[in-house]
Amino acid sequence: MLEVKRQSVSAPAGPRKGVGAVPAGGVTIAEAARRTGVSVHTLRYYERAGLVVSPVDRTSGGRRRYRELDLKWIVICTKLRATGMPIRGIRRYAELVAAGPGNEAERLALLEAHRADVLAKLVEIQENLKLIDHKIDTYRGSLAAGDADRLWAPVGTAGLDRGNTAVKS
């Protein structure tokens, strides 16, 4: 049901994010934060906000112990959030997953709707990037031609470029 790509064994040594193998007794909240790339505060918030699919285990002293399933779910929540899914959407998805089998069509619909939103945002971002690329080309061309001083710059309240009528901005 939950899948997270494992990092290759040949990856460079050193600190890195990744769920990896989790000891049977789970990991501390600090270790869970390190492995998932979110803060301890965010982990606590996810729990309070109802974004986790099962209660996080606790030690006899009341300290949280995160299991592999918990960490994988946190990674999913983080990815959904990073792509703009509202907290209420993630909460609803968590509720559906926690409820177990029988609501797969509703889960699919929720994810497909989010995917459509992400694709629409990507189209908008690509359009914005085209404008940025155009502006970069304009500045590079003007600098290379030695006429960068002709680029539009507001002067006073007139909002005109230094007397030029052909505004390159």
Side-chain angles (χ1 to χ4, degrees), residues 1-151:
M1 175 168 60
L2 301 175
E3 293 181 303
V4 174
K5 292 183 182 178
R6 297 210 181 263
Q7 295 182 0
S8 69
V9 177
S10 61
R16 64 176 190 218
K17 291 190 307 185
V19 172
V22 176
V27 295
T28 65
I29 193 168
E31 179 63 11
R34 187 191 69 76
R35 288 179 181 225
T36 59
V38 299
S39 69
V40 167
H41 173 76
T42 299
L43 291 174
R44 289 182 182 128
Y45 172 75
Y46 279 8
E47 205 174 328
R48 280 192 321 271
L51 306 183
V52 294
V53 293
S54 61
V56 174
D57 287 340
R58 302 253 180 181
T59 65
S60 58
R63 296 184 183 268
R64 290 172 174 85
R65 297 299 290 181
Y66 290 85
R67 297 167 292 138
E68 187 169 355
L69 177 66
D70 301 322
L71 299 183
K72 288 180 178 181
W73 183 254
I74 290 162
V75 169
I76 290 169
C77 289
T78 303
K79 300 281 186 199
L80 292 174
R81 194 70 192 117
T83 55
M85 183 179 272
I87 294 297
R88 71 183 176 282
I90 299 171
R91 183 180 301 115
R92 180 65 184 141
Y93 184 56
E95 289 167 354
L96 292 169
V97 171
N103 59 28
E104 292 80 5
E106 192 175 347
R107 292 185 219 175
L108 176 61
L110 190 147
L111 291 173
E112 285 177 336
H114 180 60
R115 183 179 191 278
D117 290 344
V118 170
L119 288 173
K121 288 176 189 166
L122 284 174
V123 167
E124 182 180 348
I125 288 170
Q126 288 170 340
E127 288 300 315
N128 294 340
L129 183 58
K130 285 180 189 176
L131 173 78
I132 293 167
D133 287 341
H134 169 73
K135 302 298 282 176
I136 288 170
D137 290 344
T138 299
Y139 278 92
R140 283 184 178 152
S142 291
L143 287 169
D147 64 358
D149 61 330
R150 293 185 179 182
L151 292 172

